């Protein structure tokens, strides 16, 4: 006999973790690039989920088509085509649903690379990606960046250097970079495509923050500039940052020729399209305009937090901390004088009840030892101010 689940059912509680993030009591941990649980649109999702189960439950609970739930591909194509940060229309047959951008990257390793291949990443880069590449036996080589993103002039030199191995792919985060929050200008986006075509590698463009702009618009995704016959740029999108990460839903946008290499993978032949239930749910969320509303809400919330955090950093650290105020995304990338090692500062900060991600975590070669990444996605204004106060006290103690 089935038990009827009850709200707040104690039997659903477990001693095992129920979320990825774990933060010691009393610590404000700015190291997590996760959205505050309070910002998840639970009410909207609950209502839509009820409707899905009442009228479309059979489809939602079935194996999905390999490319992803068709109605969402169409809805997403219309949604993206309508966004100010996307200047070209996005066709449904260029989209493929994934288990988030992380799932997309993992599939890209299967579809496009083999052990021993070389992949270029930015210095600094989103740290779990290097780990994913290493786990596949890929050689990871860092390309320098500046405060406008990847240095395409230096990339060109590296590609022409016979001593450096040829890459099969280059992974980049062009809009509101993680961790550096930089935005790659149009001419460098164009140059990346030109280099990818000439040197026959694929640009894996992680665009998970493309829609989270608070100030000025970022240039359109790199794929916009790809006019090659069979495609040399892939855009990775995600509902994690604009809706909720537990949905495990994202997408790949690519030339349909290139997309075939994903759609034809054995994983999909066995398990069908990815995250089918979430896809049916999100199609309705888009159809009812709830995603657009949620993004507006997040933009306002994060823009306010940025002002508070920037103000607190300036007033507590003065000239000691250098940073650019982010125009989108989740992160401040803060650099201290060269005598500060943020790995060494970390335990001191934790004793003061604050934590962050040290800069060297984002490097292939231990660079950025005097930088750190702090995220404003998890805490409200009051907690952000308090954490900067704690961090400044920790820095004082560390330097004395
Ligand atoms: C640059 C970047 N890519 C990918 C991800 C993970 O995205 P998803 O939840 O869609 O797997 C994150 C999350 O922090 C991120 O910052």
């Amino acid at each position: 006999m089935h038990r009827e689940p009850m709200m707040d059912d104690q039997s659903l509680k477990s001693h095992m973790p129920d979320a990825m993030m774990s933060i010691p009591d009393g610590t404000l941990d700015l190291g997590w690039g996760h959205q505050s649980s309070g910002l998840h649109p639970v009410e909207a999702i609950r209502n839509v989920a009820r409707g899905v189960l009442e009228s479309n439950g059979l489809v939602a609970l079935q194996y999905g088509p390999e490319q992803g739930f068709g109605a969402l591909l169409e809805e997403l194509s219309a949604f993206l085509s309508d966004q100010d940060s996307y200047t070209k229309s996005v066709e449904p047959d260029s989209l493929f649903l994934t288990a988030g951008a992380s799932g997309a990257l993992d599939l890209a390793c299967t579809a496009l690379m083999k052990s021993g291949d070389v992949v270029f990443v930015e210095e600094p880069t989103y740290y779990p990606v290097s780990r994913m590449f290493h786990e596949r036996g890929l050689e990871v080589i860092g390309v320098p960046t500046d405060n406008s993103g990847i240095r395409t002039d230096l990339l060109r030199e590296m590609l022409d250097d016979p001593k450096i191995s040829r890459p099969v792919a280059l992974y980049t985060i062009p809009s509101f970079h993680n961790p550096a929050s930089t935005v790659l200008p149009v001419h460098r986006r164009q140059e990346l495509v030109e280099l990818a075509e000439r040197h026959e590698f694929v640009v894996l463009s992680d665009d998970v923050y493309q829609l989270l702009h608070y100030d000025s618009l970022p240039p359109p995704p790199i794929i916009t500039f790809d006019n090659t016959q069979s495609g040399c740029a892939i855009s990775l999108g995600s509902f994690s940052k604009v809706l909720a990460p537990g949905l495990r839903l994202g997408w790949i946008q690519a030339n349909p020729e290139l997309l075939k290499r994903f759609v034809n993978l054995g994983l999909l032949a066995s398990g069908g399209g990815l995250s089918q239930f979430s896809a049916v749910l999100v199609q309705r969320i888009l159809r009812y305009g709830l995603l657009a509303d949620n993004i507006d809400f997040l933009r306002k919330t994060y823009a306010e937090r940025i002002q508070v955090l920037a103000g607190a950093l300036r007033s507590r650290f003065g000239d000691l901390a250098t940073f650019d105020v982010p125009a989108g995304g989740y992160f401040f990338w803060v650099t201290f004088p060269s005598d500060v090692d943020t790995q060494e500062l970390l335990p001191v900060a934790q004793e003061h009840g604050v934590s962050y991600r040290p800069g060297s975590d984002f490097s292939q070669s231990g660079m950025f030892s005097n930088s750190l990444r702090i995220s404003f996605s998890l805490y409200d204004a009051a907690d952000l101010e308090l954490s900067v106060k704690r961090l400044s006290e920790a820095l004082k103690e560390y330097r004395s």
Side-chain angles (χ1 to χ4, degrees):
M1 202 172 100
H2 294 289
R3 292 179 65 238
E4 281 298 317
M6 294 175 301
M7 298 294 277
D8 232 1
D9 187 340
Q10 287 303 312
S11 72
L12 295 177
K13 301 232 174 347
S14 144
H15 293 296
M16 303 293 282
D18 53 12
M20 182 185 190
M21 195 167 47
S22 75
I23 300 178
D25 282 348
T27 298
L28 295 169
D29 191 346
L30 306 180
W32 291 98
H34 291 200
Q35 169 169 294
S36 331
S37 299
L39 297 181
H40 298 331
V42 179
E43 189 59 35
I45 291 182
R46 180 187 298 132
N47 293 335
V48 174
R50 196 173 290 133
V52 164
L53 289 170
E54 278 164 8
S55 64
N56 214 8
L58 296 181
V59 169
L61 297 174
Q62 188 50 279
Y63 285 109
E66 288 88 333
Q67 195 167 337
F69 179 53
L72 177 57
L73 297 177
E74 285 175 2
E75 203 73 59
L76 182 60
S77 114
F79 177 82
L80 294 176
S81 302
D82 199 35
Q83 296 303 304
D84 293 338
S85 60
Y86 282 70
T87 53
K88 246 190 192 174
S89 68
V90 176
E91 300 306 321
D93 68 349
S94 70
L95 293 171
F96 166 77
L97 299 183
T98 65
S102 313
L105 279 162
D106 192 64
L107 286 184
C109 292
T110 312
L112 309 174
M113 308 173 206
K114 60 180 186 328
S115 177
D117 281 346
V118 171
V119 53
F120 282 7
V121 300
E122 291 152 336
E123 278 273 25
T125 193
Y126 173 52
Y127 62 94
V129 170
S130 312
R131 187 162 138 200
M132 286 168 80
F133 290 148
H134 283 132
E135 284 163 0
R136 297 299 192 111
L138 299 161
E139 185 189 344
V140 182
I141 297 179
V143 182
T145 58
D146 60 16
N147 53 12
S148 299
I150 192 164
R151 288 277 306 267
T152 40
D153 54 338
L154 298 181
L155 171 65
R156 189 181 290 276
E157 285 174 18
M158 288 171 71
L159 291 165
D160 287 335
D161 184 342
K163 293 191 293 300
I164 299 178
S165 309
R166 311 301 61 226
V168 292
L170 177 144
Y171 170 76
T172 175
I173 311 159
S175 296
F176 316 122
H177 190 273
N178 179 358
S181 273
T182 47
V183 177
L184 195 71
V186 167
H187 68 274
R188 291 198 195 174
R189 294 180 190 231
Q190 289 166 328
E191 216 176 337
L192 272 185
V193 170
E194 180 214 314
L195 291 170
E197 185 181 9
R198 169 131 42 98
H199 294 273
E200 297 181 344
F201 62 85
V202 174
V203 179
L204 289 174
S205 173
D206 189 331
D207 294 318
V208 299
Y209 298 107
Q210 180 72 17
L211 297 167
L212 279 186
H213 44 81
Y214 318 129
D215 195 357
S216 44
L217 286 176
I222 290 172
I223 191 171
T224 314
F225 306 101
D226 178 2
N227 297 315
T228 58
Q229 194 84 52
S230 47
C232 64
I234 293 177
S235 172
L236 313 179
S238 178
F239 292 100
S240 291
K241 309 297 174 186
V242 290
L243 207 51
L247 293 166
R248 289 291 76 217
L249 191 65
W251 67 92
I252 284 175
Q253 183 197 346
N255 181 303
E257 268 310 298
L258 192 49
L259 211 54
K260 275 190 202 151
R261 294 169 73 173
F262 291 86
V263 179
N264 293 335
L265 288 173
L267 174 74
L268 304 153
S270 171
L274 300 165
S275 304
Q276 170 81 350
F277 186 87
S278 292
V280 175
L281 188 75
V282 169
Q283 187 258 331
R284 287 184 181 221
I285 289 173
L286 280 165
R287 168 54 59 95
Y288 302 151
L290 299 173
L291 181 63
D293 291 351
N294 198 54
I295 293 176
D296 279 349
F297 166 70
L298 292 176
R299 283 183 187 142
K300 284 195 196 92
T301 305
Y302 292 142
E304 282 167 19
R305 290 183 183 182
I306 287 176
Q307 293 312 318
V308 169
L309 193 48
L313 287 167
R314 280 193 205 105
S315 71
R316 296 271 171 197
F317 291 105
D319 292 344
L320 273 184
T322 315
F323 59 89
D324 286 328
V325 178
Y330 272 13
F331 307 106
F332 274 70
W333 182 239
V334 181
T335 301
F336 291 119
S338 55
D339 63 313
V340 177
D341 182 322
T342 55
Q343 289 281 5
E344 287 175 3
L345 171 64
L346 187 61
V348 185
Q350 285 167 343
E351 267 175 34
H352 283 261
V354 64
S355 196
Y356 56 79
R357 276 257 164 212
S360 52
D361 282 5
F362 301 91
S363 171
Q364 305 311 298
S365 49
M367 290 168 73
F368 316 112
S369 61
N370 55 331
S371 297
L372 55 82
R373 185 195 78 176
I374 54 185
S375 166
F376 50 84
S377 55
L378 192 57
Y379 293 106
D380 64 14
D383 279 344
L384 290 172
E385 281 191 279
L386 178 59
S387 26
V388 175
K389 176 172 178 282
R390 289 179 180 177
L391 188 57
S392 69
E393 287 160 359
L395 186 67
K396 232 172 257 155
E397 185 182 317
Y398 169 82
R399 296 189 100 205
S400 64

